Amino acid sequence: MKAITIKQPWASLIVHGIKDIENRTWACPKKYIGQRVLIHASGFRGKKFKVNLTDEQAKDAFATIAKECMFGSLPFGSIIGSVEIVDCVQNHPSVWAEKGVYNWVLANPILFANPIPAKGKLSFWDYSGVIEEGGKT
């Protein structure tokens, strides 16, 4: 199954159903539109964890980010769920859409019960492990 690596806290916000857009400088290849992909939380843990959110984004995301950061449960270096890519546009009306880039429209997120350790890669990559219902390997 195809996977894509996303930095935290964005990966968690996607699988929790809060962030409905992934912003990229490149268009999502048409072959992935309408497909479910795995969400891999990057293993990168920057020394400074800085997230710039608009007021509307903060209202939607604060509880999830705060809970996962405060309890040390923000997963890194693992597949944490999946989502469907349903469209790729520019200037989407979502509060998560950045202007001037491609907005990958996401839907039907699934948060796995247990993160699956994996090393990510740039762009789309193949995960060859078995994933059972609920995200168990």
Side-chain angles (χ1 to χ4, degrees):
M1 188 171 187
K2 290 293 182 189
I4 191 157
T5 299
I6 299 174
K7 290 182 181 177
Q8 286 289 29
W10 313 123
S12 285
L13 292 175
I14 288 170
V15 298
H16 279 277
I18 297 167
K19 187 172 184 271
D20 62 350
I21 297 288
E22 172 61 9
N23 298 294
R24 298 279 169 144
T25 57
W26 47 283
C28 182
K30 291 188 188 308
K31 65 183 175 182
Y32 298 121
I33 305 295
Q35 299 297 311
R36 180 165 290 279
V37 297
L38 298 171
I39 299 298
H40 175 265
S42 168
F44 177 75
R45 298 173 192 238
K47 290 183 182 179
K48 293 182 180 178
F49 189 82
K50 184 176 180 183
V51 178
N52 292 321
L53 298 175
T54 65
D55 289 343
E56 195 169 357
Q57 290 171 332
K59 182 179 143 189
D60 290 345
F62 181 76
T64 298
I65 293 173
K67 183 179 112 184
E68 291 196 357
C69 289
M70 286 172 42
F71 295 110
S73 61
L74 195 64
F76 290 91
S78 57
I79 295 169
I80 60 172
S82 68
V83 70
E84 290 177 26
I85 302 172
V86 296
D87 203 357
C88 180
V89 299
Q90 290 186 301
N91 302 316
H92 192 276
S94 168
V95 300
W96 296 101
E98 294 177 11
K99 304 302 178 207
V101 298
Y102 292 96
N103 312 134
W104 299 8
V105 183
L106 311 174
N108 306 312
I110 295 173
L111 172 64
F112 291 170
N114 299 302
I116 302 165
K119 185 170 181 158
K121 298 177 185 176
L122 293 176
S123 193
F124 286 98
W125 52 277
D126 290 309
Y127 176 73
S128 58
V130 176
I131 297 180
E132 298 175 8
E133 189 174 331
K136 297 178 182 176
T137 55

